[in-house]
C-alpha cells in the first residue's frame, strides 16, 4: 500500500477521549524515558500511540533471551541489539515524524542535563535495581521543576507514584540516603506498593533475590504499568484531571481485582512503612536461610 503518514488521521481515534486541540497539544510535548526494557519500552510505544511528538530515550543495554517474557522489543531478530535503537525504530514505525533523541550510554551525571533538556515530563523505565541512575534523574527533575512518574510492574498488577514540582521529592519519600543497595531495594518496593496487593500470590519467594538483583516479572504487569503511567502522563501534560502525587500512590492488581489509593505522609518515616520494611526484612532473611540450607 502506498500510504503517506498523516498525523491527524493516524491519531484521530484518540479524539473523543481528548479534544482535537488537546491532541495537537500532545503533538508538541516532549517526554524523557530512561530505560527501554520491561516498562520503558512499553511506555515509549504507548505514549507514541497517544500522539506525543518528541522523546528523549536512554538505555545502554542489549536484548537477551531473559528479556523475552516481558520486554516488547525482545525478539529473535533483536537479540544482541541495543535496546534503545530497537525501540527507536519501533516508535518511528508508529510515527515517522517523531523527534527522537537516543542516549545510548544510559543516563549519567555527564548527560542528565541534556537528557532532560526541554522535556515536559519524565517517565521512569529504569531497571528496579538502577539505584544511582534513578536517584540522579529524580533529583535533577526536582531541581528543574519537571514532573516525574514511576510505574512499577508488580506481579499481575502495577503501582504508580507521581512526583510533582514543589511537592514531596523522591528522596523525601523513599529515604535512601547512603544506605546499602539491599535496603534501598526494600524501601523502594515497600514505598512503591504500600498496599502489597501482589504479595499473597507469589508462589515461589526464592525467585526474588535482592542480593543477586533479580526478581520475577510478567508482561501483564508491564502492560498495566504502561497504561497507568500513560494516563497520569496525559493528565499532567494536558493539565486535566486529578493527579495524586507522593505521598499518595496508586496500586491496581488485576489478579486480585483490587485497586487501592495509598497515602503515606512522611514517606518511609511513616510507621506503617517502617513496619512493612521490617516484615520484608524478616521474610527475605527466611528465604535466604532456606536457600542456603538447601
Amino acid at each position: 500500500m502506498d500510504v503517506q503518514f498523516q498525523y491527524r488521521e493516524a491519531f484521530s481515534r484518540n479524539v473523543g477521549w481528548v479534544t482535537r486541540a488537546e491532541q495537537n497539544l500532545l503533538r508538541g510535548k516532549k517526554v524523557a524515558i530512561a530505560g527501554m526494557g520491561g516498562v520503558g519500552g512499553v511506555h515509549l510505544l504507548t505514549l507514541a500511540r497517544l500522539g506525543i511528538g518528541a522523546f528523549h530515550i536512554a538505555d545502554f543495554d542489549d536484548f537477551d533471551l531473559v528479556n523475552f517474557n516481558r520486554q516488547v522489543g525482545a525478539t529473535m531478530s533483536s537479540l544482541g541489539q541495543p535496546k534503545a535503537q530497537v525501540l527507536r525504530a519501533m516508535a518511528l514505525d508508529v510515527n515517522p515524524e517523531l523527534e527522537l533523541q537516543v542516549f545510548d550510554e544510559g543516563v549519567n551525571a555527564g548527560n542528565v542535563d541534556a537528557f532532560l533538556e526541554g522535556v515536559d515530563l519524565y517517565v521512569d523505565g529504569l531497571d528496579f535495581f538502577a539505584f544511582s541512575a534513578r536517584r540522579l534523574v529524580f533529583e535533577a527533575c526536582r531541581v528543574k521543576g519537571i514532573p516525574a512518574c514511576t510505574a512499577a510492574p508488580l506481579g499481575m498488577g502495577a503501582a504508580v507514584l507521581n512526583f510533582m514540582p514543589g511537592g514531596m521529592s523522591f528522596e523525601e519519600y523513599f529515604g535512601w540516603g547512603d544506605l546499602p543497595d539491599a535496603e534501598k531495594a526494600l524501601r523502594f518496593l515497600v514505598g512503591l506498593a504500600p498496599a502489597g496487593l501482589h504479595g499473597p500470590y507469589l508462589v515461589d519467594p526464592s525467585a526474588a533475590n535482592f542480593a543477586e538483583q533479580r526478581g520475577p516479572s510478567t508482561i501483564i504487569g508491564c502492560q498495566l504499568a504502561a497504561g497507568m503511567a500513560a494516563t497520569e502522563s496525559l493528565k499532567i501534560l494536558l493539565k486535566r484531571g486529578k493527579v495524586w502525587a507522593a505521598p499518595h500512590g496508586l496500586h491496581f492488581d488485576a489478579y486480585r481485582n483490587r485497586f487501592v489509593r495509598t497515602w503515606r505522609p512522611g514517606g518511609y518515616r511513616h510507621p506503617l512503612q517502617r513496619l512493612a520494611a521490617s516484615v520484608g526484612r524478616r521474610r527475605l532473611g527466611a528465604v535466604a536461610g532456606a536457600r542456603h540450607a538447601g
Side-chain angles (χ1 to χ4, degrees):
M1 294 178 63
D2 185 18
V3 178
Q4 299 298 312
F5 179 82
Q6 296 180 36
Y7 178 93
R8 184 169 181 174
E9 184 174 354
F11 303 108
S12 61
R13 297 298 176 91
N14 290 338
V15 174
W17 299 112
V18 299
T19 67
R20 288 184 173 81
E22 287 174 329
Q23 186 67 67
N24 198 50
L25 284 174
L26 292 174
R27 187 179 190 180
K29 298 297 183 180
K30 180 186 291 186
V31 175
I33 308 172
M36 287 288 107
V39 289
V42 197
H43 286 332
L44 174 62
L45 297 183
T46 303
L47 292 173
R49 291 188 187 280
L50 195 61
I52 303 296
F55 295 93
H56 285 176
I57 62 173
D59 202 307
F60 59 81
D61 201 9
D62 300 331
F63 281 115
D64 197 356
L65 276 172
V66 295
N67 304 141
F68 274 41
N69 77 308
R70 69 199 183 282
Q71 299 191 15
V72 293
T75 62
M76 290 302 295
S77 62
S78 68
L79 274 174
Q81 294 187 28
K83 293 181 180 180
Q85 293 296 339
V86 170
L87 267 299
R88 174 184 181 276
M90 293 176 72
L92 286 171
D93 216 18
V94 173
N95 180 358
E97 295 179 353
L98 281 179
E99 296 179 20
L100 207 161
Q101 184 174 354
V102 174
F103 293 75
D104 55 14
E105 295 181 356
V107 182
N108 53 58
N111 68 12
V112 67
D113 287 337
F115 177 67
L116 294 175
E117 178 66 31
V119 308
D120 300 289
L121 172 70
Y122 169 65
V123 178
D124 181 24
L126 289 167
D127 182 87
F128 181 88
F129 297 99
F131 305 118
S132 296
R134 179 169 281 112
R135 189 177 191 179
L136 172 73
V137 179
F138 274 95
E139 176 59 17
C141 287
R142 184 193 67 80
V143 171
K144 298 174 182 292
I146 298 171
C149 174
T150 186
L154 298 167
M156 295 173 229
V160 174
L161 284 172
N162 296 308
F163 294 91
M164 301 297 288
M168 192 175 206
S169 72
F170 183 94
E171 178 59 31
E172 287 171 338
Y173 183 81
F174 288 105
W176 276 0
D178 296 320
L179 295 168
D181 284 354
E183 180 65 18
K184 288 179 182 176
L186 181 63
R187 293 191 181 193
F188 191 42
L189 180 60
V190 170
L192 283 168
L197 298 180
H198 55 294
Y201 60 90
L202 178 62
V203 295
D204 184 2
S206 67
N209 190 321
F210 284 176
E212 296 178 5
Q213 296 196 344
R214 61 176 173 82
S217 58
T218 71
I219 186 62
I220 300 168
C222 292
Q223 297 278 14
L224 289 170
M228 292 178 72
T231 303
E232 297 303 299
S233 299
L234 181 148
K235 291 192 290 184
I236 291 169
L237 293 172
L238 296 180
K239 297 180 173 59
R240 173 161 71 85
K242 173 68 176 179
V243 175
W244 293 97
H248 293 275
L250 309 172
H251 191 171
F252 171 68
D253 192 277
Y255 186 85
R256 298 184 66 194
N257 299 320
R258 291 188 60 190
F259 171 77
V260 176
R261 190 177 73 240
T262 56
W263 183 47
R264 292 295 185 268
Y268 183 76
R269 296 189 301 276
H270 194 282
L272 289 178
Q273 293 298 84
R274 291 180 177 273
L275 176 61
S278 179
V279 171
R281 289 187 200 96
R282 289 198 297 271
R283 288 178 177 172
L284 289 171
V287 171
R291 186 186 297 115
H292 181 72

